Amino acid sequence: MLYFRSFVFTVLFFAWAAVASLVSVLLLPFPGRAMRWLARVWAKVVNILLRVVCGIKMQNQINAALLPPRPYIMAVKHQSAWETMVMHLVAPKPATIVKKGLAQIPFFGWAVMRAGSIALDRGAGSKAMRHLLDQAQKRAKKKYTLVVYPEGTRTPYGKRVESYQPGVALLYDKLRLPVVPIVLNSGKLWGKNSWIKRPGTITIKNLPPIMPGIEKREFMKRLNKEMEDGCEALG
């Protein structure tokens, strides 16, 4: 039954992705908020499919009282494809840092960029960091929430990451913005590179923000420890 449910979800997921991609083409001439609306609808439908077909529920423990005024940075734990969609539901006016290759995918990539995302070419070295900072500054002035995955890639559930990518420290240091750690346990039910979806509840939670003013290396140590400890606490 587990494999059958996962198969049905996969078929419906890609069918919905095809529909959403066609709609995104129609929305390209409109302002970015139209694409952000579509992204929220996309995420809501995927969550409905997960709940109805796979028995996966979402427990949203994002505490608005802990969120500073925008703009700020959300540093998100990355275990699954799930959070890349759900962040459109929990992050106000998100601008996600994505891989350049993702942004170049026809239809999907166009929609991602139209929604306000920032494409990062990791192979470009310091030039990529300058581009990231420049684009992030522009988004911050427009009160976007900058969404970054500090691990840089998906990490298997239960694996503790000892160090994060430096991009989040650059944004924290140069933009002087608060960083809100986001922890979750999505990989427990929707594993990295796995099409099998196990029934249960995925929890997503924000931790108290790390305010500007901490030295970069100390910030990275604190962020890393708080996020890894926070994920372990979710179980």
Side-chain angles (χ1 to χ4, degrees):
M1 198 63 180
L2 177 67
Y3 291 92
F4 175 73
R5 285 186 170 193
S6 298
F7 174 75
V8 171
F9 170 81
T10 301
V11 172
L12 294 176
F13 176 86
F14 282 107
W16 169 229
V19 172
S21 294
L22 291 176
V23 174
S24 72
V25 174
L26 299 177
L27 294 180
L28 284 174
F30 293 90
R33 61 177 176 272
M35 205 65 76
R36 292 193 294 274
W37 168 82
L38 177 61
R40 289 192 297 272
V41 173
W42 155 262
K44 287 179 180 178
V45 173
V46 171
N47 265 342
I48 291 171
L49 292 176
L50 284 171
R51 185 176 70 250
V52 173
V53 179
C54 301
I56 296 178
K57 299 177 182 179
M58 171 184 173
Q59 186 177 59
N60 185 353
Q61 293 187 5
I62 298 296
N63 183 353
L66 290 178
L67 296 176
R70 293 201 325 261
Y72 53 84
I73 301 164
M74 277 189 168
V76 186
K77 185 70 176 172
H78 200 9
Q79 297 179 354
S80 166
W82 180 85
E83 54 270 11
T84 63
M85 295 174 282
V86 167
M87 290 310 298
H88 290 284
L89 300 178
V90 302
K93 198 178 179 182
T96 306
I97 316 301
V98 301
K99 298 176 183 178
K100 183 179 179 181
L102 185 68
Q104 294 175 334
I105 298 174
F107 304 117
F108 178 79
W110 304 339
V112 165
M113 298 307 297
R114 193 72 182 90
S117 297
I118 301 171
L120 178 63
D121 182 3
R122 292 180 187 162
S126 60
K127 182 179 178 181
M129 292 297 101
R130 289 194 298 271
H131 172 75
L132 171 62
L133 184 58
D134 175 67
Q135 294 300 309
Q137 287 174 328
K138 292 178 180 177
R139 303 299 192 281
K141 288 179 180 178
K142 296 181 179 179
K143 304 297 182 182
Y144 278 82
T145 299
L146 299 172
V147 178
V148 59
Y149 297 94
E151 294 157 285
T153 188
R154 286 173 289 178
T155 302
Y157 169 77
K159 180 180 179 181
R160 193 173 180 96
V161 180
E162 298 302 327
S163 62
Y164 290 163
Q165 297 294 319
V168 64
L170 174 71
L171 295 177
Y172 170 79
D173 182 61
K174 298 298 184 182
L175 300 184
R176 311 294 291 176
L177 294 177
V179 172
V180 179
I182 303 293
V183 296
L184 44 82
N185 57 2
S186 58
K188 187 176 183 179
L189 307 180
W190 184 340
K192 177 183 178 182
N193 300 325
S194 175
W195 69 278
I196 301 298
K197 313 296 183 294
R198 304 183 182 280
T201 300
I202 296 175
T203 301
I204 183 168
K205 178 180 179 180
N206 60 321
L207 304 178
I210 301 175
M211 303 307 291
I214 302 174
E215 189 272 331
K216 281 198 295 185
R217 278 183 289 187
E218 181 60 31
F219 160 75
M220 288 294 280
K221 288 180 182 179
R222 177 175 168 181
L223 179 67
N224 182 276
K225 185 177 188 307
E226 290 186 5
M227 290 186 66
E228 297 303 314
D229 289 351
C231 282
E232 288 181 0
L234 290 179

